[in-house]
Amino acid sequence: MNDLLYTISKENHSPKALKDILSNAPEVKFVSFVGVDLAGNDTDEKIPISLFLKDIEGFLTGAIQTDGSSVALPGIATINNAKIDMIADKDSTWFIDYNYEHLDSKSGRPIGTLRIPCFLYHDSKAVDSRSILKNAIHFFKTSLMNMFRETPELLHTYNIEFDDIEDISVTAATELEFWVQTPNDEAHVEELSTSQVLQEQYWTRTKGSVRTSLEQCLMLMEAYGFNPEMGHKEVGGVKAKVNESGSYTHIMEQLEIDWKYSNAIQTSDNEIIIKNIVRETFRLNGLDVTFLAKPIDSVAGSGKHTHISITLNCKSGKCINLFTATKDHFLSAIGYASIMGILKNYEVISPFVSPTYNSLKRLKPGFEAPVCVVTSLGHTVEMPSRNRTILLALIRDLDNPFSTRFELRSPNPHTNTYLCIASMCMAMLDGISYAIKESKTEDDLLKELSKNYGEEFGYLEKYRMYRSEDDVFHKYSEKDRDKFFGKAPKTVQENLSFLDNCKDKVAILKKGNVFTDTIINGFKSTSIKRWLMEINHRIINNYMKEVRGYKKLHLDDLALDLDLSYWIKINDLRKYIMKDTYDRKSLFTQIKEASKNEDLPLISELQLELDNKMEELRKLYCTYEKNLLDI
């Protein structure tokens, strides 16, 4: 399959070049226009290649339409005004998606679909995630160029003049973690948790169909030009079993795949096709893959650490990483200012990073997932270090100045990377603007970033701390973490409330019409609808099945008083969670009624109580079961 057509670069997006390329790839039978809505869903509208080739120019300039029912754009594409135009993005790489289960009858090659990234327009306005990121990058670059033009002495640090600048690039990369298992197999949570604490799976050798799938993924990624850097086991998982034929069964493992950075939009596009490669490759080998942030309670969730940096490209061909320090500092002034912008405004970034119930379940102490809005720069400038307990990490390599970047550790595989990076850019620009307008030096900014609780400076909030080189989970109690770094949201309603309550910070997102009121309200509506549907029709149903599974195990004639006591507590909890009586409604019913009344704060409160009661029930049942000699 090495001679298959995998990509079409932006230099070949003219009608003539496309006809020439596609005529030599007869296995490509379809074209699909890929738009990304506010929920991060990508569309797939298949068009026969013959139809596309007859009118390439028309298709690339807006011949494709869809309606609001096929995309998540609430408050934008309404039922009485639903037409959405799909305009091809000719400045990005296009990919061919192959169906390895459907082979061409003549060549024996898999049937391919050319996936063309596009922008979604409603009433002549771009309303999709790719457009938001594109606008954010444009506004960021234009604003920064204007600052350099008005304050050219800023560039003297880099030994260049304003006229030397060719362009400014926002580069990004993501790390994809996911769980893989044999279909319908379940592992005991305690077994998974024990294996995690003992680190029995982390970076160990892959075996059997998991190894085959992982290797095939990396080979395909190379064919597509993604430049994979590594694939390995993560911390979660248990040892598989071998059946009589020598094949592995009862597979339950967590994996990670990394690949090379690119510009921000291309990085987001790449992630979509790579997730499809992972799903299909593992499925063809008889394995299930889940990208849920927290697929199993009490076990490590899956992250998608998102890296970002800013590069200044000179007309001479020279490239400069604007975050890299030019003297005895962790970062340049622009680097310090950028990290301050993200931390100060993270309340309005968080909804775009963790908009779902499951994504917030991952962000709990004890699983290397961040809960505090805090950064770590390193113990000394000369010795870069990595603190895995914080939200925003500084990545440095003293031998490679181009490697200096920030790693946001809160995203998960379902995070909409387009909106995540767009909101980060707007926040970074706010910090940079402060530093430049106030003529802040590296020393000034480092001092402010390292401020103590109660110290007042010009930008960061007085009653907050923003830097810690300690393990924040051991150094501080939960009460102190909430006090020093701000209380982390635990539900979708709490997270989205920042978009209502932090008006000054929301205004930063709205600059340059990047995040408009229409876009923000549409995103909120999408997230709330998804949250209510999930909790009422998936979470409650799953919990219902789990509660019914906690059955009486002891034999009455052999049970001790302690066994009876445990069972009474378990049964009382089961009833409290699930069983209605004439006098009291169960937690399940209370949540359903609050949902009908759209009482979001009450749903949020009940959801937290339900999760706590379910955790209490699991622990109690485990203790009860272990105390029984005969079942």
Side-chain angles (χ1 to χ4, degrees):
M1 300 299 179
N2 290 336
D3 57 345
L4 286 175
L5 176 67
Y6 289 101
T7 63
I8 300 179
S9 63
K10 64 180 181 180
E11 293 80 15
N12 292 312
H13 291 171
S14 67
K16 182 180 184 307
L18 288 171
K19 284 184 179 180
D20 290 342
I21 292 171
L22 293 172
S23 64
N24 290 312
E27 64 275 7
V28 180
K29 303 291 188 183
F30 303 98
V31 172
S32 176
F33 283 77
V34 183
V36 182
D37 64 21
L38 297 181
N41 304 312
D42 56 301
T43 62
D44 186 17
E45 294 206 10
K46 286 191 185 295
I47 302 164
I49 195 70
S50 57
L51 189 63
F52 176 76
L53 290 174
K54 287 180 181 178
D55 185 20
I56 294 179
E57 190 67 41
F59 278 109
L60 297 185
T61 55
I64 294 297
Q65 298 176 358
T66 186
D67 61 71
S69 63
S70 61
V71 288
L73 298 170
I76 299 172
T78 57
I79 194 169
N80 62 327
N81 186 16
K83 185 172 78 73
I84 297 290
D85 295 310
M86 308 177 77
I87 310 297
D89 180 2
K90 292 187 280 189
D91 291 326
S92 62
T93 300
W94 299 351
F95 302 108
I96 290 79
D97 176 26
Y98 286 102
N99 183 353
Y100 294 96
E101 296 174 287
H102 185 192
L103 303 182
D104 183 76
S105 58
K106 293 181 180 179
S107 65
R109 296 183 172 196
I111 298 299
T113 298
L114 172 61
R115 287 170 59 90
I116 301 178
C118 68
F119 302 110
L120 305 179
Y121 280 78
H122 181 261
D123 286 345
S124 301
K125 296 179 181 178
V127 292
D128 62 290
S129 295
R130 295 183 85 257
S131 295
I132 294 169
L133 179 54
K134 180 182 178 181
N135 293 339
I137 297 296
H138 175 74
F139 184 72
F140 181 90
K141 290 165 63 172
T142 302
S143 300
L144 193 53
M145 286 289 280
N146 288 337
M147 293 178 196
F148 286 150
R149 182 183 293 106
E150 295 168 3
T151 318
E153 56 269 22
L154 291 169
L155 298 170
H156 295 168
T157 304
Y158 305 104
N159 297 316
I160 62 170
E161 301 293 335
F162 177 78
D163 291 337
D164 295 327
I165 301 175
E166 177 75 26
D167 194 14
I168 296 174
S169 300
V170 177
T171 58
T174 56
E175 307 171 18
L176 184 62
E177 295 177 0
F178 55 94
W179 278 84
V180 57
Q181 67 180 68
T182 310
N184 302 319
D185 272 351
E186 294 184 3
H188 199 285
V189 171
E190 185 177 17
E191 185 182 7
L192 286 164
S193 180
T194 301
S195 179
Q196 174 185 308
V197 173
L198 295 176
Q199 294 186 315
E200 293 175 330
Q201 294 292 305
Y202 197 39
W203 288 84
T204 60
R205 179 175 174 268
T206 52
K207 303 173 184 176
S209 55
V210 174
R211 175 178 177 173
T212 299
S213 301
L214 183 59
E215 290 172 350
Q216 289 175 346
C217 283
L218 296 174
M219 291 167 66
L220 268 176
M221 289 169 64
E222 281 195 297
Y224 277 100
F226 292 126
N227 298 311
E229 295 180 336
M230 71 175 70
H232 63 85
K233 282 194 180 185
E234 257 294 331
V235 68
V238 290
K239 185 178 180 180
K241 299 178 182 179
V242 181
N243 62 19
E244 293 178 355
S245 65
S247 300
Y248 286 98
T249 63
H250 295 85
I251 294 167
M252 183 77 72
E253 300 179 13
Q254 188 183 34
L255 304 177
E256 178 180 324
I257 290 179
D258 305 328
W259 58 96
K260 193 176 181 180
Y261 64 86
S262 186
N263 70 69
I265 296 178
Q266 192 63 61
T267 289
S268 305
D269 288 349
N270 292 351
E271 182 189 304
I272 290 176
I273 193 70
I274 289 171
K275 287 169 72 173
N276 289 339
I277 288 173
V278 170
R279 283 193 196 96
E280 289 302 301
T281 302
F282 278 83
R283 185 183 65 80
L284 290 173
N285 287 294
L287 297 169
D288 280 343
V289 165
T290 177
F291 292 117
L292 282 174
K294 192 75 169 179
I296 307 167
D297 285 326
S298 302
V299 180
S302 295
K304 188 180 66 181
H305 301 161
T306 300
H307 299 247
I308 192 166
S309 61
I310 308 170
T311 303
L312 193 152
N313 306 307
C314 298
K315 295 174 183 177
S316 65
K318 179 181 179 181
C319 294
I320 299 169
N321 185 331
L322 291 180
F323 289 167
T324 302
T326 56
K327 52 183 180 179
D328 191 26
H329 264 280
F330 296 98
L331 285 163
S332 66
I334 288 176
Y336 284 130
S338 295
I339 209 168
M340 288 165 62
I342 293 173
L343 293 174
K344 180 183 178 181
N345 296 294
Y346 190 72
E347 283 90 346
V348 294
I349 297 174
S350 179
F352 300 105
V353 173
S354 307
T356 64
Y357 168 88
N358 197 256
S359 63
L360 290 165
K361 285 189 72 174
R362 170 180 167 262
L363 304 180
K364 291 184 177 181
F367 299 98
E368 294 189 6
V371 297
C372 303
V373 181
V374 60
T375 190
S376 168
L377 301 179
H379 294 289
T380 66
V381 173
E382 297 79 15
M383 188 65 67
S385 59
R386 296 288 297 275
N387 185 340
R388 299 176 64 83
T389 69
I390 47 86
L391 172 75
L392 192 63
L394 170 61
I395 311 296
R396 297 169 63 229
D397 182 346
L398 298 181
D399 296 324
N400 182 9
F402 289 104
S403 70
T404 305
R405 62 194 186 275
F406 303 145
E407 176 193 59
L408 187 66
R409 298 178 55 79
S410 51
N412 68 87
H414 281 301
T415 294
N416 185 332
T417 301
Y418 300 95
L419 300 186
C420 171
I421 297 177
S423 58
M424 288 174 71
C425 285
M426 300 305 289
M428 287 194 299
L429 186 61
D430 184 61
I432 294 170
S433 178
Y434 158 74
I436 291 177
K437 288 180 180 178
E438 301 298 325
S439 301
K440 296 294 183 179
T441 65
E442 287 93 339
D443 289 332
D444 297 332
L445 296 169
L446 176 59
K447 186 176 181 180
E448 182 167 358
L449 182 56
S450 307
K451 66 182 284 299
N452 291 318
Y453 180 85
E455 282 191 289
E456 189 167 11
F457 286 83
Y459 183 69
L460 296 177
E461 295 173 19
K462 180 177 180 178
Y463 295 108
R464 290 284 288 272
M465 288 169 55
Y466 294 90
R467 179 187 175 191
S468 175
E469 303 302 330
D470 297 304
D471 180 336
V472 296
F473 299 125
H474 288 93
K475 173 74 173 181
Y476 307 101
S477 65
E478 181 179 359
K479 181 179 179 181
D480 284 341
R481 288 197 301 267
D482 290 347
K483 175 182 177 180
F484 295 145
F485 309 118
K487 190 172 182 179
K490 294 182 178 179
T491 69
V492 171
Q493 184 270 332
E494 288 182 3
N495 207 16
L496 292 176
S497 68
F498 291 135
L499 296 175
D500 295 319
N501 301 330
C502 302
K503 296 298 184 182
D504 291 344
K505 296 177 181 181
V506 170
I508 290 162
L509 299 179
K510 292 161 67 174
K511 289 182 178 179
N513 286 320
V514 174
F515 286 88
T516 63
D517 284 330
T518 301
I519 291 293
I520 292 173
N521 291 333
F523 175 81
K524 286 167 54 182
S525 296
T526 295
S527 300
I528 290 169
K529 179 181 178 181
R530 182 166 51 184
W531 174 46
L532 295 183
M533 287 294 294
E534 187 176 14
I535 196 169
N536 283 282
H537 301 287
R538 180 173 293 166
I539 295 164
I540 285 181
N541 289 345
N542 290 341
Y543 279 169
M544 190 178 296
K545 180 180 177 181
E546 185 178 350
V547 170
R548 285 174 175 155
Y550 293 133
K551 298 181 182 297
K552 173 184 170 183
L553 297 176
H554 63 268
L555 302 174
D556 290 334
D557 56 336
L558 298 177
L560 302 177
D561 290 345
L562 185 60
D563 301 324
L564 298 176
S565 175
Y566 282 145
W567 177 246
I568 291 171
K569 291 178 182 178
I570 290 167
N571 213 28
D572 286 346
L573 261 179
R574 293 169 75 230
K575 293 175 182 177
Y576 182 80
I577 292 168
M578 183 173 165
K579 186 75 173 176
D580 288 341
T581 67
Y582 284 114
D583 300 324
R584 192 193 62 79
K585 293 178 179 178
S586 68
L587 277 179
F588 287 170
T589 299
Q590 291 179 60
I591 289 174
K592 288 181 178 294
E593 290 184 351
S595 299
K596 289 180 182 178
N597 298 327
E598 298 184 355
D599 190 340
L600 302 185
L602 178 58
I603 299 168
S604 180
E605 179 183 326
L606 291 170
Q607 176 206 309
L608 292 176
E609 183 182 6
L610 175 59
D611 288 343
N612 289 334
K613 292 297 183 184
M614 286 300 299
E615 185 174 353
E616 182 182 348
L617 178 60
R618 292 184 191 109
K619 291 179 178 178
L620 189 58
Y621 194 79
C622 183
T623 302
Y624 160 72
E625 187 177 24
K626 287 181 176 180
N627 197 53
L628 297 175
L629 290 173
D630 299 290
I631 298 178

